[in-house]
Amino acid sequence: MRRNRPIVSILFWTVSSLITLLPIYWMFIVSAKSRVQLFGSPSFLLTSFFTENYINTLRDPAFQRYMINSIVIATSNAVLVTTLALFATYALSRYKLGGKENVFFWTITNRMAPPAVFLLPLFLLYTQVFVLNDAKLFDTRIGLILLYCVFNLPFAIWTLRSVIDGIPKELDEAAYVDGATTWQVLTKVVLPLAKPGLAVTGILTWVFAWNEYLFAATLTSVHARTVTTGLAEFVTVTGTNWGQMAATAMLTLVPALLVLGLVQRHIVAGLTFGAVKE
Amino acid sequence: MRSSTVGWLFLAPTLVILFIFGVLPFLYVLVIGFTQWNSFAADPTMQYNGVENFRRLMFDDQFLYSLWLTLKFGFFAVASQILLGYLLAQLFMRDFPGKGFFRTVHTLPLVIAPIAVGATWRLLLVPGLGPVPYYLNQWFGYELNISRYIDQAFVATVVMDIWHWTPLVTLTLLAALASLPKEPFEQAQIDGANRFQIFWHVTLPLLKPAILATVFIRLMDALRTVDEVWMLTGGGPGAATRYIGLHIWRVVFPKTDYGYGAAMSLITLYLTIVMCWLLYAGLVARRDLKRAE
Amino acid sequence: MADLSELPPEPRRGFLPIHTNGFDRVFIAVVLFVAIHLFWMRFLEASVPLSVGTVLSVIVGAVVIARG
């Protein structure tokens, strides 16, 4: 039925890839030009690399703080989520628990809910309810780390479920016969075999946490601001310093570019709650 | 099977976190929605006031307009993504050299932070800097200014969403296409069906569960879009692209009218759930859910 | 359409166009309850008090749960 003309396919996909890459390439161009060079007709050619935009951004103490916050929050969240999801999926896979399938499906509703709906109650909870003496969750890293679990945990559980289910139960049983404890079975038998799956889950949760903006913008004010909020502030505060804004945005999307190759195969299953497997 | 107590202990941390940060905020907003609570008002304490917030909302033109805009945005974005995504998925079904590379490039927008997507498109479209308005003007004499013309701003947000999310549709439909059985197609060809007939009577019915599932996931995402639009247009010009998430965030928060904002959040959640359920019912009613997986 | 014999026994077919179980019908009843109230406040409350809408939606809900 299908006539195979690879050259047509290749041409088509080259054009399509150019459309995908063009906006990002243009941003890179803007980030590598000075204000003066940006005047006049837009040029996609880069004659010299203007590094000052990047240097200014990286030297900015506020941006450094945002960067550290983002790294700490995303990494802690990824570690926490992956660990808890491993426990949870192990329980769901190996134990007979009444209503566990309902629990499994319930977790996903947390991810489907529109974040804007939860902004207001979370803001009020963080500023007025979850208060111990003078300590609040508002504007703390731990507040964001725990909150990001709400959308990352369901994702991780749904991704890891098939991984853990795929590890033969006979291995557990054999270890139990040899006198291993539950903890030993989990760490010595299941964990090594689940490593690739855990790595992918960890990387994707890290990226999701890094990318998050709305909660970070609402639930922090000074101390726990992340890179994404820094980027948004750039537009509202400095307005038209396009070069530096582009440099900041480039730095924001670098991690995504780095991990793309690693997680490319899993991203769709992840974003569709495992409904689509490749 | 082992003792269930240990199993529940393993699940406990997950359930506790999801309860505190997922369920509790929901219950809290449910309570606040039925109260009058405004920290700037004469009486800044929480007062029960029944359905008053919801009554006000039903006559709040800004809110209703924002809902309508959101639906319009969701419809245009998702419909274009499904059409385009299907076409691209069909093109990925063929074998050609470099397929893996093109696929990776195609996946790229999915992992980029939405806020950076917004920044990218702003740089592309902003007048005086972006190449798009410049060349449209040079070549066609068309004036593109998304901070000035309502329709252009709306289209710009839709195009940005298409750029950002079509890859997801492509890859889901590709997975579905690859898993279709071969026999119906061979049978149809033997029966002498033309390409359109095969598409209409064989491919489309077989693909329907996957398409519905994709529409479901994409629509939910489109209705919660905030970051990119905030970055690209800031909700403007005027309120032309102030979709519901942005509306709650940008209008309710500064006013500190918590009761009213909570009611608004609740109605948004209600509409989301109803739409979710309608699509889900559409899936289950045909008993096709299994094949979608 | 589908042959009914394959379906699990619990979901059934009432006047609603889809197969529903108990949870589905309660859910539909709640959704309708809210929808009726919202539309009532917008269009009818000027002439008919909201409590009439409440009674009406309770009746609709009961019918859906019993026969849907």
Side-chain angles (χ1 to χ4, degrees):
Chain A
M1 187 174 87
R2 294 200 176 98
R3 284 152 302 167
N4 227 339
R5 276 179 301 178
I7 197 76
V8 178
S9 296
I10 292 176
L11 267 178
F12 177 87
W13 281 107
T14 309
V15 173
S16 158
S17 299
L18 283 178
I19 294 173
T20 306
L21 292 175
L22 191 80
I24 298 166
Y25 178 69
W26 172 248
M27 186 155 81
F28 171 71
I29 293 288
V30 174
S31 76
K33 283 187 175 177
S34 68
R35 273 182 196 232
V36 182
Q37 287 172 306
L38 284 172
F39 270 116
S41 65
S43 160
F44 283 95
L45 295 173
L46 200 60
T47 45
S48 61
F49 197 96
F50 183 74
T51 48
E52 210 156 296
N53 290 324
Y54 286 96
I55 291 172
N56 280 347
T57 308
L58 289 170
R59 280 218 184 119
D60 179 5
F63 184 78
Q64 287 170 355
R65 208 172 55 235
Y66 295 159
M67 205 74 172
I68 291 168
N69 280 335
S70 269
I71 291 170
V72 170
I73 290 170
T75 310
S76 321
N77 181 258
V79 171
L80 181 67
V81 162
T82 318
T83 315
L84 293 185
L86 175 65
F87 290 165
T89 41
Y90 183 71
L92 289 171
S93 165
R94 297 299 202 265
Y95 290 88
K96 197 177 212 144
L97 307 171
K100 70 177 181 182
E101 289 311 312
N102 289 334
V103 171
F104 183 56
F105 275 95
W106 169 74
T107 58
I108 208 69
T109 56
N110 287 288
R111 196 183 161 85
M112 297 300 274
V117 170
F118 290 85
L119 279 179
L120 184 68
L122 280 166
F123 176 75
L124 294 171
L125 285 171
Y126 271 40
T127 49
Q128 318 205 346
V129 181
F130 294 159
V131 178
L132 200 68
N133 298 328
D134 265 343
K136 298 173 183 175
L137 275 180
F138 182 74
D139 201 17
T140 59
R141 289 172 184 167
I142 188 77
L144 286 185
I145 293 169
L146 289 173
L147 178 62
Y148 288 175
C149 289
V150 175
F151 56 87
N152 269 341
L153 258 178
F155 159 76
I157 289 172
W158 277 58
T159 317
L160 278 180
R161 181 79 194 265
S162 57
V163 173
I164 304 290
D165 278 346
I167 298 171
K169 288 192 175 74
E170 290 73 27
L171 292 176
D172 296 29
E173 294 308 321
Y176 280 123
V177 170
D178 291 345
T181 61
T182 310
W183 183 253
Q184 282 170 332
V185 169
L186 182 61
T187 52
K188 300 265 165 62
V189 179
V190 177
L191 185 65
L193 289 171
K195 257 183 193 159
L198 285 171
V200 170
T201 315
I203 292 172
L204 280 173
T205 48
W206 194 93
V207 171
F208 292 148
W210 174 275
N211 286 354
E212 207 281 332
Y213 167 70
L214 198 54
F215 287 122
T218 317
L219 300 178
T220 66
S221 58
V222 185
H223 303 294
R225 300 239 104 179
T226 60
V227 166
T228 48
T229 60
L231 177 55
E233 274 168 17
F234 222 103
V235 177
T236 42
V237 178
T238 54
T240 52
N241 191 350
W242 300 117
Q244 206 173 334
M245 173 187 149
T248 315
M250 284 305 289
L251 292 171
T252 310
L253 63 78
V254 160
L257 293 180
L258 291 180
V259 299
L260 178 66
L262 290 173
V263 296
Q264 191 252 114
R265 290 259 154 205
H266 305 272
I267 185 107
V268 174
L271 289 170
T272 55
F273 320 117
V276 176
K277 296 226 171 62
E278 293 180 81
Chain B
M1 284 292 174
R2 306 271 141 191
S3 118
S4 63
T5 324
V6 180
W8 285 114
L9 276 178
F10 274 128
L11 264 177
T14 299
L15 296 182
V16 168
I17 289 186
L18 287 182
F19 180 81
I20 294 177
F21 296 95
V23 178
L24 207 63
F26 168 69
L27 297 176
Y28 197 46
V29 79
L30 200 59
V31 173
I32 306 169
F34 291 93
T35 64
Q36 145 86 46
W37 184 17
N38 187 341
S39 52
F40 287 169
D43 178 9
T45 56
M46 218 202 269
Q47 301 283 335
Y48 174 77
N49 73 344
V51 294
E52 190 50 43
N53 291 325
F54 296 93
R55 187 174 287 135
R56 251 174 82 197
L57 268 177
M58 282 292 99
F59 292 95
D60 182 340
D61 289 337
Q62 279 188 8
F63 170 71
L64 295 174
Y65 179 63
S66 169
L67 273 183
W68 163 241
L69 271 182
T70 314
L71 290 178
K72 207 166 90 171
F73 169 76
F75 173 80
F76 281 111
V78 176
S80 336
Q81 283 158 11
I82 295 287
L83 286 176
L84 197 60
Y86 177 77
L87 194 80
L88 294 174
Q90 276 291 4
L91 287 166
F92 260 140
M93 286 297 282
R94 301 161 191 216
D95 273 320
F96 54 91
K99 192 166 145 181
F101 169 76
F102 288 124
R103 236 186 87 127
T104 308
V105 171
H106 195 57
T107 321
L108 176 64
L110 293 178
V111 284
I112 297 178
I115 199 85
V117 171
T120 312
W121 279 80
R122 193 185 172 104
L123 290 172
L124 210 57
L125 296 179
V126 74
L129 172 80
V132 177
Y134 180 83
Y135 286 113
L136 277 179
N137 195 13
Q138 285 281 312
W139 295 341
F140 308 106
Y142 183 81
E143 192 194 347
L144 181 78
N145 188 341
I146 56 162
S147 54
R148 191 147 160 214
Y149 300 110
I150 304 177
D151 293 338
Q152 289 180 358
F154 178 78
V155 172
T157 58
V158 173
V159 170
M160 174 174 64
D161 202 67
I162 292 171
W163 180 84
H164 194 180
W165 291 110
T166 301
L168 181 70
V169 179
T170 310
L171 296 179
T172 28
L173 293 185
L174 179 63
L177 276 174
S179 66
L180 289 185
K182 295 260 184 305
E183 299 80 34
F185 293 94
E186 284 158 7
Q187 188 57 45
Q189 269 191 308
I190 294 167
D191 294 348
N194 63 32
R195 292 182 82 165
F196 177 76
Q197 285 170 324
I198 291 178
F199 168 75
W200 191 253
H201 294 290
V202 184
T203 318
L204 206 56
L206 284 174
L207 218 51
K208 205 162 121 194
I211 294 179
L212 275 174
T214 314
V215 169
F216 176 80
I217 288 162
R218 272 306 306 135
L219 198 60
M220 291 309 110
D221 278 346
L223 299 185
R224 43 195 264 186
T225 308
V226 174
D227 316 11
E228 299 117 288
V229 177
W230 169 242
M231 203 63 180
L232 180 63
T233 66
T241 51
R242 202 192 280 151
Y243 305 126
I244 192 66
L246 209 52
H247 185 78
I248 295 178
W249 183 48
R250 280 287 108 185
V251 174
V252 175
F253 264 88
K255 282 189 185 165
T256 71
D257 195 346
Y258 299 138
Y260 194 55
M264 200 181 282
S265 305
L266 279 172
I267 292 194
T268 309
L269 188 62
Y270 169 79
L271 288 176
T272 311
I273 292 173
V274 169
M275 266 197 302
C276 240
W277 185 82
L278 284 176
L279 282 167
Y280 175 76
L283 280 169
V284 177
R286 304 277 181 269
R287 297 201 316 122
D288 285 338
L289 194 61
K290 268 189 201 132
R291 252 180 285 152
E293 286 172 0
Chain C
M1 213 173 71
D3 47 3
L4 291 165
S5 58
E6 270 178 46
L7 283 168
E10 201 201 342
R12 59 155 207 246
R13 185 73 197 272
F15 66 85
L16 293 169
I18 54 163
H19 302 279
T20 53
N21 62 25
F23 175 80
D24 292 334
R25 288 191 293 278
V26 171
F27 177 82
I28 296 168
V30 173
V31 166
L32 287 175
F33 182 89
V34 177
I36 290 173
H37 277 80
L38 290 177
F39 279 101
W40 203 282
M41 283 190 275
R42 178 83 165 104
F43 298 109
L44 289 172
E45 208 182 5
S47 44
V48 193
L50 189 59
S51 45
V52 180
T54 310
V55 174
L56 188 75
S57 41
V58 168
I59 294 170
V60 170
V63 171
V64 167
I65 291 172
R67 319 255 326 252

